[in-house]
Amino acid sequence: MGRKINILISSVGGQGGLSLSRMIAEASRLAGYSIATGETLGMAQRFGSVKSFVRVGIGEKVYSPIFHKNEANYMLCLEIIECARNLEYLDTLLGWIILSYDFRPPVSASLLPSKEKIDSSLLLRRILSYSGERAVLIDPKEVREISGSSRAINASILGAFVEISKIFDDSHAMTAIELVLRNQKAVESSRKAYIFGKSLKGIGDAYSPRRLI
Amino acid sequence: MEMNPLKAKDGEKIALMGNEAIARGALEGGVWIAVGYPGTPSSEVIMTLQEFGAEIYAEWAVNEKVALEIGIGASIGGARSLVTMKGPGLNIASDPLLSASYSGVDGGLLILVADDPGPITTQTEQDSRWYGPLAKLPLISPSNPQEAKDYTVIGLELSERVQLPVILRTTTRVNHAIGEVVLGKISEPRKFRSFKKDPQRFIRAGMTWNLERHRWLNERLVEFEKLAESFSLNRVEGNGEKCIITEGIGYQYVKEFLLNKIESGEKFRILKLGLLYPFPRDFLRKALRGCKETIVVEELDPFLETFLRSELLTFGFSTRIIGKDSGHLPKEGELDLEKLRNLLLGGQNVKDRSLDSAVPIEVPPRPPPLCPGCPHRNSYLGILGGIARAGFSRKDIPIFGDIGCYALSAYPPLSAIWTEHSMGASISMAMGLKLSGFEKPVVATIGDSTFFHTGIQPLIEAVNKRVDMLVVILDNQVVAMTGHQATPSWTKTETGRDVKEVKIEEIVQGIGVDELKIVDPYDLDSMVKAVADSINKRGVKVIISRAPCAILEARRKGRPAYYTVIEDKCTGCLACLRATGCPALYVNEKGKVSIFEEDCYGCALCARYCPTKAIVRGDSVGKKD
C-alpha cells in the first residue's frame, strides 16, 4: 500500500513559489513517484498571493491536482502573511510547516484607513500554534548571506522539506534544481541554500520562536 | 538528461504542465502552423513552442479571429495547424469558427480553447463547451497532462480524417497542472499539399451551396462520432449500478475519491467522456444500461447533464440524474471538492474535514498591484492630475478601462478606471456614453496590444462619428499581463523571426484623429499637461503614453537605480504610499516607510511625493546596489 503526500506552497508572486513546486515535481519524477500539481499562474505581475498545490504519490497514483482544507501534510511558506492566509489547508494533527519568515505586508494593507498594524511576531506565534513542534523556521536573511541570493530561499525550503519527509535522495533534489533553474549561477546559490535548509531542525532548537520573538 | 520537452525522446516519461504537453502533442501530431493570441490559461502552449525552439511556424497573431483564419487558411492548403486562445478569445474568433464548419479543412486543424472555472484570472466563467453544438464542430476534452498531449495528436488526426476543425477544450486545472507524461514520436510537420478552386466549398455567398454544405456537415458529424470510437476517447470503468458520467478535471477528482472504494469492490461505474460533441449517444446508450442512479460530474454549466436529460427518453430506460440542475452541485465556481466527495461517498461516514481545520487567521487581502516602476501608474496619475488641472473633479470624469495590466489601476490608491469590459471596449463604450447625452469629457484608456487586437475599429468609429473624447493608449510595447508576448510593434519575434514594425502613431494618424501627442509617462508633469490641454477640446484626441514595461526592461537591462528611505527624515505621513501604492514600499514597525530595495525599480515616483525629501537614491547614501 502506497501513500500520498499533499503539499501546499504559499508565497508572494515573484518569490519563487512556482519554481519550488516545479522542483518537487521534477524530483518526484526522478524518484519514480506519481505527481500532480495545481497552480494558479499566468499573470506576469508580481506581488499577489500565490498558492500552489503539489501532490506526490509514492507507490500509488495521484489523480487530483488539488486537495481540500485540512489535508496538507506540509505547508511550505515563503512569507508569513501568506502562510497565515492558507493555514486552513494544514492537517493540524500531523502536518508540518516549513516557513521562511520573510514579512511582506501587502501595500493595500498600509493604506487601510484604520491602519491595523500586522504584528509579524504575533502572527508567527499564531501560525506555530497550529503545528506545535512540527515546524521548521528559516531565516531568509541567513539564506541570503549563505547563498548570496534571495532567489535561493525556495531551495532552502526544499532542503528542509527533504530532511523531514525523507522522500527524496539529495541527488534527485539537486538534479531537480538544475533542471528547473537552467542557470549555473542560480544553481550554485540554490545548492548552498539547499544544504543550509537540510541542516535545520524543527523548532525547539536554535530556530526556536522563543529566540525569535 | 533531456529537459527540452520538444526534443525528449519517444517513450521517455517527463513531468509536464498541461500546456507544455499540448505543445509536445502539436509536434507529435505534425503541426506546421501554431498561432494564437495570449490568454490565461492558454498562453504557455505557443510560449513552449517558441522557447524550446520548435522548428515550425509558432507566432502570436494580432487577435484570435486572425489567428483562427490563419489556421483555416493553412489547413485548407493541407497543412496541419494549431490555434490557441482563452475562452473569451473564442468569442472573438467565433465568426470564422462557424463558417469553418461549412468549408471544412484538408490538413488537421485543432483549436485549443482554455476556460477558467473559478474564475481565477478571467472576466467570466464562460463554458466554451457550448461552442461544440453552436458551431457544430467536434469537441474533445482531456483530463490531465498525458491526455492533453494525446488528445492533441488524436484531435489533429481526427480533424484531418473527417475534414472538420476539432475543438480541444481545456480548463485551468488541466492547462496548468503538472503531471507525468509518456512521450510519443515526433512527426514530420505536414506542410502545404495542394489548394484547388472549389467555390461551393470555400465561398459562403451562395445560399443553395450553403444548404448543401450544412447537409455535408451533419453527415461529417455522424461520421466523426463513429470514428472517435476507434480512438477510445470514451470509456467505461467498473460495472456497478451507481453510475458517474464525467469529463475533464472532474474525472481526476472522481478517481481520487473513489479509488479505494472501487478497489475494495464497491460497485461504481465511471463513464469517462473524452468526446463531448457530437454527444456520444450510442456509447451512452450502451454504457448506461442498468444504471439506477447517474451522477454527472462536470465543471461550470450542466452541459452533459442537459444533453443527458434530453436523450434519456430515446434511450428507452430511466435513471435518476444527479448533478447541477438537480441542485446537488453548484453551477458557479470550481467543483467543490468537499461537496463532490460527500455526493460520491454517499454522505455516510464522511465527516466534513473542514470542521477540523485550523481557524483561518484573518490577514489583509493581497490583490496583485501594479509593479514597482510600472509606467501605467504614472500614466493614470497623469490622467487624474490632468483632469484636476483642467478644473474637473475626478468623480465627474469617467475613465474607461480595457483589458490588460492597467486594469489593476482599479484598486486603491489610484482607483482610476470606471469600467473594464471586453477587449477593445474602452473607446466604443466611452462613445456610447457620450452619445447617450453625457456632457462632460470622457477618457478611454487602452493598452498597445489591446489597441492592435480590437481597439482600432472603435477608434475609426469615434473619429468617423465625430464623438468628443480623449483616448490614452498605454504603450508599454508588449503583451505584459500574460507573460510578455510580442506585439506588432516588435521588429523581431520570440523565435527570432524578422518582422516589420507596425507603428501605433501611424495607424492613429491614418484614421484621422483630431490631435495626437506622444508622451513619456515618467515625465509626469508633461503627462499632466498633455491631458489637461486635450481633455476639453472637441474631437478625438489621442495621447500615446509610451514607456516599456518596467519589469521586462529590468530583466533585459537591469534596473536603472534603487531608492531608500532616510528614516530620520521620514515622518510617517505615508504621502508616498497614498499617491503611488507601490508594492516596494511598506510601513515598518516604527510606523515609518521602508523600501524593499531589491524590488525597487528606481522610478523615483515615491520620492516626488515625499514632503520631507526622505526618499533618496540608494547609491547616494553609500549603499551598494
Side-chain angles (χ1 to χ4, degrees):
Chain A
M1 190 68 184
R3 62 188 173 122
K4 292 176 187 174
I5 295 174
N6 294 334
I7 303 157
L8 189 85
I9 303 174
S10 289
S11 62
V12 179
Q15 282 191 307
L18 294 176
S19 301
L20 177 56
S21 135
R22 192 87 203 215
M23 285 171 193
I24 299 175
E26 290 296 340
S28 300
R29 173 182 68 88
L30 293 166
Y33 304 148
S34 175
I35 177 76
T37 79
E39 337 264 3
T40 49
L41 53 92
M43 294 204 293
Q45 296 84 13
R46 303 154 72 194
F47 310 104
S49 295
V50 179
K51 181 168 72 183
S52 311
F53 297 87
V54 181
R55 307 192 65 229
V56 182
I58 301 173
E60 84 180 72
K61 192 164 163 54
V62 284
Y63 287 90
S64 169
I66 58 174
F67 50 84
H68 200 251
K69 290 168 189 168
N70 200 28
E71 293 186 336
N73 306 107
Y74 295 91
M75 279 194 62
L76 310 184
C77 305
L78 286 99
E79 199 272 342
I80 297 177
I81 296 172
E82 292 313 310
C83 203
R85 190 189 309 285
N86 292 315
L87 266 182
E88 56 190 347
Y89 284 96
L90 181 70
D91 173 350
T92 48
L93 288 178
L94 296 165
W96 278 78
I97 293 176
I98 300 172
L99 164 61
S100 161
Y101 52 84
D102 229 332
F103 180 59
R104 299 274 179 139
V107 62
S108 47
S110 314
L111 294 163
L112 294 173
S114 62
K115 199 163 58 65
E116 277 185 33
K117 291 277 296 229
I118 311 167
D119 182 334
S120 60
S121 25
L122 182 68
L123 202 53
L124 190 55
R125 256 196 305 254
R126 290 189 64 192
I127 291 169
L128 296 175
S129 73
Y130 287 104
S131 62
E133 296 198 339
R134 295 180 312 279
V136 180
L137 293 177
I138 300 176
D139 182 349
K141 284 200 197 83
E142 208 169 342
V143 181
R144 276 183 208 114
E145 276 159 27
I146 288 166
S147 68
S149 166
S150 57
R151 306 282 302 158
I153 288 169
N154 53 11
S156 70
I157 294 179
L158 180 65
F161 169 71
V162 171
E163 180 65 18
I164 299 165
S165 68
K166 308 253 187 300
I167 65 168
F168 300 128
D169 295 339
D170 288 340
S171 64
H172 289 153
M174 279 313 308
T175 309
I177 289 173
E178 284 168 29
L179 288 173
V180 173
L181 297 180
R182 288 186 285 157
N183 166 325
Q184 204 41 52
K185 206 177 149 210
V187 167
E188 208 31 64
S189 51
S190 293
R191 184 193 305 275
K192 291 177 189 156
Y194 175 83
I195 294 167
F196 171 69
K198 279 211 72 168
S199 73
L200 300 176
K201 300 283 181 282
I203 59 170
D205 199 307
Y207 293 88
S208 156
R210 283 181 292 280
R211 202 193 75 166
L212 230 158
I213 294 163
Chain B
M1 187 185 313
E2 185 55 74
M3 182 55 183
N4 184 333
L6 305 185
K7 303 238 161 95
K9 287 201 181 61
D10 180 11
E12 214 174 306
K13 185 198 268 190
I14 61 177
L16 289 183
M17 187 196 288
N19 282 341
E20 295 167 339
I22 293 169
R24 169 73 189 204
L27 298 194
E28 291 181 12
V31 161
W32 172 237
I33 299 287
V35 62
Y37 187 79
T40 310
S42 71
S43 314
E44 294 84 0
V45 176
I46 301 277
M47 288 167 87
T48 301
L49 291 169
Q50 293 178 332
E51 185 184 343
F52 292 101
E55 285 159 6
I56 64 171
Y57 181 91
E59 302 288 352
W60 297 110
V62 69
N63 69 25
E64 295 87 351
K65 171 179 148 70
V66 172
L68 179 52
E69 287 156 354
I70 292 170
I72 293 167
S75 286
I76 59 174
R80 285 198 173 185
S81 323
L82 170 70
V83 182
T84 73
M85 60 198 71
K86 69 185 299 177
L90 191 52
N91 306 341
I92 302 284
S94 59
D95 195 14
L97 183 78
L98 269 77
S99 282
S101 46
Y102 280 49
S103 51
V105 292
D106 296 284
L109 169 59
L110 190 72
I111 301 157
L112 167 69
V113 56
D115 282 341
D116 185 32
I120 299 166
T121 55
T122 305
Q123 58 266 52
T124 62
E125 282 194 296
Q126 165 173 333
D127 191 334
S128 298
R129 292 179 299 176
W130 298 108
Y131 272 111
L134 176 63
K136 303 186 93 158
L137 284 178
L139 186 143
I140 58 178
S141 165
S143 293
N144 52 49
Q146 179 74 59
E147 284 188 357
K149 180 191 79 65
D150 295 344
Y151 281 26
T152 302
V153 182
I154 293 171
L156 286 159
E157 183 63 33
L158 281 172
S159 165
E160 191 155 314
R161 286 211 212 163
V162 189
Q163 291 182 279
L164 289 178
V166 170
I167 301 172
L168 178 73
R169 190 268 191 171
T170 54
T171 58
T172 306
R173 295 291 180 200
V174 175
N175 296 99
H176 284 170
I178 295 172
E180 317 96 282
V181 177
V182 179
L183 303 178
K185 196 166 172 292
I186 288 178
S187 328
E188 198 59 33
R190 314 280 181 90
K191 302 185 190 176
F192 172 78
R193 284 199 307 255
S194 67
F195 180 49
K196 285 198 201 76
K197 193 169 181 182
D198 184 351
Q200 303 200 3
R201 231 188 108 183
F202 296 117
I203 297 178
R204 289 278 69 79
M207 263 63 104
T208 47
W209 304 345
N210 289 342
L211 184 69
E212 270 316 301
R213 291 308 291 183
H214 192 181
R215 198 165 286 135
W216 171 85
L217 167 61
N218 286 335
E219 286 163 10
R220 298 276 79 192
L221 284 172
V222 173
E223 185 66 22
F224 190 92
E225 193 185 329
K226 282 188 207 138
L227 199 58
E229 281 291 298
S230 59
F231 285 87
S232 308
L233 289 169
N234 306 319
R235 63 172 186 266
V236 181
E237 297 174 19
N239 55 9
E241 291 178 341
K242 193 162 188 173
C243 298
I244 297 158
I245 295 183
T246 187
E247 63 96 3
I249 192 65
Y251 170 76
Q252 303 295 113
Y253 300 149
V254 168
K255 287 289 277 187
E256 191 74 49
F257 293 145
L258 291 185
L259 205 56
N260 293 332
K261 285 227 157 195
I262 292 170
E263 280 166 0
S264 65
E266 286 208 29
K267 299 286 185 189
F268 280 98
R269 193 191 308 177
I270 302 173
L271 281 63
K272 198 277 190 195
L273 302 188
L275 172 66
L276 308 192
Y277 190 84
F279 191 64
R281 287 185 185 85
D282 288 342
F283 167 80
L284 286 170
R285 186 180 287 123
K286 286 180 211 133
L288 277 171
R289 193 162 296 280
C291 290
K292 288 216 167 115
E293 183 178 271
T294 303
I295 304 175
V296 186
V297 180
E298 58 187 327
E299 233 162 18
L300 298 178
D301 296 341
F303 175 83
L304 294 176
E305 191 178 344
T306 302
F307 271 91
L308 189 62
R309 284 182 195 281
S310 73
E311 290 297 326
L312 214 53
L313 274 177
T314 69
F315 288 170
F317 53 81
S318 67
T319 172
R320 183 177 170 231
I321 298 174
I322 294 174
K324 290 170 183 255
D325 277 332
S326 69
H328 289 82
L329 289 168
K331 288 182 179 175
E332 308 83 19
E334 289 195 78
L335 271 173
D336 182 324
L337 295 192
E338 204 54 33
K339 276 213 171 91
L340 183 61
R341 189 202 322 249
N342 288 341
L343 188 61
L344 294 177
L345 302 185
Q348 296 152 357
N349 306 322
V350 184
K351 55 175 184 151
D352 183 355
R353 294 175 62 95
S354 59
L355 292 178
D356 297 339
S357 63
V359 183
I361 299 174
E362 200 140 313
V363 285
R366 194 190 294 272
L370 291 169
C371 296
C374 176
H376 297 324
R377 180 180 288 108
N378 289 53
S379 292
Y380 280 105
L381 282 171
I383 293 167
L384 292 168
I387 287 171
R389 183 176 296 185
F392 295 101
S393 159
R394 64 186 280 180
K395 289 199 296 289
D396 294 337
I397 307 300
I399 303 175
F400 286 79
D402 223 302
I403 295 188
C405 296
Y406 46 100
L408 300 174
S409 72
Y411 294 115
L414 287 173
S415 306
I417 57 166
W418 293 31
T419 67
E420 186 231 9
H421 190 84
S422 54
M423 291 290 282
S426 54
I427 297 171
S428 18
M429 282 174 61
M431 177 172 170
L433 186 75
K434 284 298 282 184
L435 292 176
S436 75
F438 185 80
E439 284 174 0
K440 292 203 175 82
V442 293
V443 182
T445 56
I446 183 166
D448 53 328
S449 55
T450 310
F451 179 71
F452 282 122
H453 181 281
T454 30
I456 297 172
Q457 298 88 340
L459 188 64
I460 294 172
E461 187 66 18
V463 168
N464 176 244
K465 298 298 190 300
R466 304 209 62 83
V467 176
D468 300 335
M469 69 169 75
L470 172 63
V471 177
V472 182
I473 301 174
L474 306 158
D475 182 12
N476 64 356
Q477 301 167 337
V478 69
V479 192
M481 191 140 200
T482 45
H484 298 117
Q485 292 86 2
T487 76
S489 71
W490 289 26
T491 52
K492 206 181 254 303
T493 67
E494 291 92 336
T495 60
R497 181 179 302 272
D498 288 318
V499 286
K500 184 166 164 60
E501 173 189 6
V502 177
K503 292 195 169 94
I504 292 178
E505 52 269 44
E506 290 179 0
I507 297 174
V508 168
Q509 273 164 337
I511 291 171
V513 300
D514 297 283
E515 182 184 278
L516 171 65
K517 292 175 192 161
I518 301 175
V519 182
D520 174 0
Y522 290 116
D523 180 357
L524 191 53
D525 295 322
S526 299
M527 184 75 194
V528 169
K529 188 172 180 305
V531 171
D533 290 349
S534 295
I535 194 161
N536 232 351
K537 287 187 193 155
R538 300 295 304 270
V540 177
K541 297 86 55 182
V542 174
I543 296 173
I544 299 175
S545 179
R546 177 172 288 158
C549 169
I551 47 171
L552 185 60
E553 197 73 351
R555 257 177 230 164
R556 283 174 176 162
K557 299 180 185 163
R559 56 183 176 161
Y562 78 95
Y563 277 69
T564 192
V565 178
I566 303 169
E567 205 175 274
D568 293 343
K569 284 195 181 176
C570 175
T571 61
C573 72
L574 308 190
C576 52
L577 262 162
R578 274 197 193 98
T580 68
C582 174
L585 303 175
Y586 69 102
V587 182
N588 66 22
E589 61 280 3
K590 294 174 208 151
K592 301 195 174 190
V593 171
S594 290
I595 295 178
F596 292 118
E597 283 165 13
E598 61 191 48
D599 293 335
C600 175
Y601 176 74
C603 73
L605 188 65
C606 55
R608 178 190 173 99
Y609 289 96
C610 180
T612 60
K613 308 235 174 304
I615 305 177
V616 296
R617 261 179 86 114
D619 49 11
S620 68
V621 288
K623 288 190 187 174
K624 65 178 164 54
D625 192 350

